[in-house]
Amino acid sequence: MHPLLRFVFGSRADWRLDRFPRPRISPSMSWLGPALLVASLIVSWPAFAGARGEGFVALGFWLGAVSILLMSWSFILALRLRLLEPLFGGLDSMYRVHRWAGATSVAFMYLHTSLKPDIDGGVEGAAESVADTAEGLAGFGQQMLYVLVGASLLRIVPYRYWRWSHKLLGIPFAFASWHFFTSTKPYANGSAWGIWFGAWMIAGLAAFLVRVVVRDAVTRGFSYEVVAVDHGVNSSRIELEPRGRPLEHELGQFAFLKLGVDGLSEPHPFTIASGPKRANLEFFIRHLGDWSDRVGDTDLIGAPAKVEGPFGRFEPIGVHHQPLLWIAGGVGITPFLAALDGGELNGDSPPTLLYASRDSDDEPMLARVLLAQREGRVALHRFSGESGRIMPSTLDDLFPGGLTGHHVALCGPSGLVSTMASAAAQRDASSIETEDFDLRQGFGPERSREIARAAALVGSKGDLQDT
């Protein structure tokens, strides 16, 4: 393959979207959130069932309404409301629903405009001139939405540009809502159905404004200062000391970190690697892109930081003092470091940890794990290039009697987590915890590092020409 095509399209693995198995901690309400979303779409059908006209009028109107509802859900979930986390199984699952609700809304919008529903004897939502203007704006918003959602789904668009483009999504939603409100429909805007859909549109717009204006621009999280940094070859450890009220968190939770340094102020999510009883927060950051590379090259001691959170419902320990099996890959070791640091482990035997790492890549994290092994706080089984990979057969070797009674927690690359979670379920693990740490998700290769280097090269050539 030509190098340029390889850069743009990457490998086949870059286009695979692994699906994580649903955690099996009981009792669980994680099905309730998706069920409510689907129910809101289904119960909206009667509003259009009686519509008459050319073609599939009722279906066309309903598809447009579904597009609006899905966008509203997407904006509401983007607020990261902790009260919704139990209904979806954690913020990682909420973000998955947020992402695909937004993407699916575009598909329903396309189908709606393709059917071009034209109702006979409907109720006008506004004067014809106003409705025509709103329809024109909605058409422009539809094209805008295609571009913005496409950029959101393609990982080749660097995180910082994706994040800023995300702030524009409220514009096409506002245009679509105005068109929906002013169009001729089977019901009046002041009817019960009008209030139902109007409430969803207002909720979506309000959620978007709160997310972009209040949460991003005004409320910036807890104040901290960087007091210690340990740079490895391909990862860094950062310790933060509170400047005011500290963030309170539980084991396995993560937070969004913003550093008060030029080029590092955009928020990025990281699992908290320190225990809940410590005032200071600790993060391990793998150098995987332009932002994290800059972390490894910057003197951060004394830098201010903002921490937003905590989020997530990942439980490395479980609830019934069960035997523990932890499976981690790379930076996925961080929630287990917090558990080892928290002093909350119980039971007659230490947790069994299967850890896939490379010495140079995971040096700061590996040092912490090896210390816990020497102190007898964890039964470590390391896997690297020489010792092979963590495979389902590994469980048979270590647990020939199966995993009945065990609490299995997994965190790391999606392929490892998906494969081993299924293997643990087949071996009768009592409970399984997984976390999807790729909050952005999407398809294609991630090229932020290469794009940043190319931009820096172009900039340096421009400086040389100026001089």
Side-chain angles (χ1 to χ4, degrees):
M1 182 184 292
H2 190 277
L4 179 59
L5 294 177
R6 186 181 299 112
F7 175 84
V8 174
F9 294 104
S11 65
R12 181 179 299 178
D14 292 324
W15 296 87
R16 183 183 69 244
L17 190 68
D18 293 296
R19 293 184 178 181
F20 284 75
R22 181 68 59 185
R24 299 200 302 158
I25 296 293
S26 181
S28 174
M29 297 189 299
S30 60
W31 58 271
L32 189 54
L36 289 173
L37 186 153
V38 174
S40 69
L41 310 183
I42 295 175
V43 300
S44 299
W45 167 252
F48 312 103
R52 296 293 181 267
E54 295 184 6
F56 300 96
V57 178
L59 179 61
F61 272 108
W62 180 71
L63 290 173
V66 166
S67 178
I68 294 288
L69 292 172
L70 287 173
M71 282 190 279
S72 296
W73 271 105
S74 185
F75 288 134
I76 292 169
L77 293 176
L79 285 176
R80 307 172 188 161
L81 297 175
R82 268 173 262 173
L83 61 89
L84 293 180
E85 285 196 46
L87 306 183
F88 289 86
L91 186 65
D92 55 334
S93 297
M94 283 173 58
Y95 259 77
R96 188 187 302 115
V97 177
H98 153 79
R99 178 74 54 205
W100 295 113
T104 307
S105 72
V106 177
F108 279 101
M109 178 179 289
Y110 172 78
L111 294 173
H112 163 72
T113 55
S114 298
L115 291 177
K116 299 179 180 178
D118 188 9
I119 190 172
D120 292 336
V123 181
E124 292 184 353
E128 184 176 352
S129 59
V130 175
D132 290 342
T133 301
E135 185 174 3
L137 289 173
F140 170 76
Q142 183 178 8
Q143 303 304 317
M144 185 178 180
L145 195 64
Y146 290 158
V147 174
L148 293 175
V149 173
S152 175
L153 292 177
L154 296 175
R155 288 193 183 100
I156 197 171
V157 178
Y159 179 88
R160 62 183 58 190
Y161 304 127
W162 160 79
R163 180 171 173 265
W164 281 107
S165 69
H166 235 48
K167 296 179 182 295
L168 301 175
L169 283 169
I171 298 175
F173 177 69
F175 289 164
S177 297
W178 182 237
H179 165 59
F180 190 79
F181 181 81
T182 59
S183 64
T184 300
K185 302 178 289 294
Y187 57 83
N189 286 327
S191 67
W193 283 119
I195 295 172
W196 164 259
F197 290 112
W200 277 105
M201 289 185 285
I202 292 173
L205 288 169
F208 172 79
L209 292 174
V210 170
R211 174 71 261 178
V212 173
V213 178
V214 179
R215 298 288 291 275
D216 287 351
V218 180
T219 306
R220 296 180 177 271
F222 296 85
S223 297
Y224 281 81
E225 181 180 319
V226 179
V227 294
V229 178
D230 179 15
H231 292 306
V233 177
N234 286 309
S235 59
S236 298
R237 181 188 73 87
I238 295 180
E239 184 175 347
L240 307 178
E241 186 175 273
R243 293 293 178 260
R245 185 167 69 93
L247 176 145
E248 297 180 2
H249 70 282
E250 298 177 0
L251 292 179
Q253 291 190 302
F254 63 92
F256 285 80
L257 173 64
K258 293 178 279 189
L259 297 170
V261 178
D262 288 342
L264 295 176
S265 59
E266 62 189 29
H268 286 255
F270 299 100
T271 298
I272 302 171
S274 50
K277 297 179 181 179
R278 288 178 54 188
N280 286 11
L281 295 180
E282 192 174 31
F283 297 96
F284 287 90
I285 299 173
R286 186 79 171 269
H287 303 161
L288 294 173
D290 58 332
W291 189 91
S292 52
D293 283 347
R294 196 173 293 112
V295 168
D297 297 334
T298 304
D299 181 12
L300 296 173
I301 298 296
K306 293 289 185 178
V307 179
E308 182 188 353
F311 301 104
R313 298 176 62 81
F314 184 73
E315 296 183 6
I317 293 181
V319 293
H320 299 299
H321 306 306
Q322 303 158 289
L324 300 178
L325 170 60
W326 295 341
I327 301 177
V331 75
I333 190 65
T334 47
F336 306 117
L337 295 181
L340 292 171
D341 183 51
E344 300 181 30
L345 291 173
N346 296 294
D348 298 328
S349 60
T352 299
L353 169 61
L354 312 185
Y355 182 32
S357 69
R358 290 176 291 183
D359 293 359
S360 61
D361 285 357
D362 306 311
E363 183 180 338
M365 295 170 283
L366 180 59
R368 188 70 57 83
V369 175
L370 293 176
L371 175 62
Q373 181 191 33
R374 290 193 298 270
E375 295 177 348
R377 290 181 286 126
V378 67
L380 173 65
H381 298 269
R382 284 189 57 204
F383 298 82
S384 63
E386 296 180 358
S387 59
R389 301 166 57 191
I390 303 176
M391 304 289 289
S393 58
T394 305
L395 301 181
D396 297 326
D397 296 336
L398 295 175
F399 304 94
L403 292 171
T404 301
H406 281 73
H407 175 76
V408 181
L410 311 95
C411 190
S414 59
L416 170 67
V417 172
S418 180
T419 298
M420 296 307 297
S422 297
Q426 293 169 5
R427 288 155 180 80
D428 298 322
S430 295
S431 54
I432 300 174
E433 279 284 296
T434 65
E435 184 170 52
D436 183 356
F437 208 64
D438 182 10
L439 294 187
R440 179 179 176 180
Q441 302 182 1
F443 300 96
E446 204 281 333
R447 301 296 192 209
S448 63
R449 174 182 287 168
E450 292 84 351
I451 292 174
R453 289 174 178 172
L457 180 61
V458 171
S460 63
K461 288 183 178 179
D463 293 339
L464 288 174
Q465 291 175 354
D466 293 339
T467 57

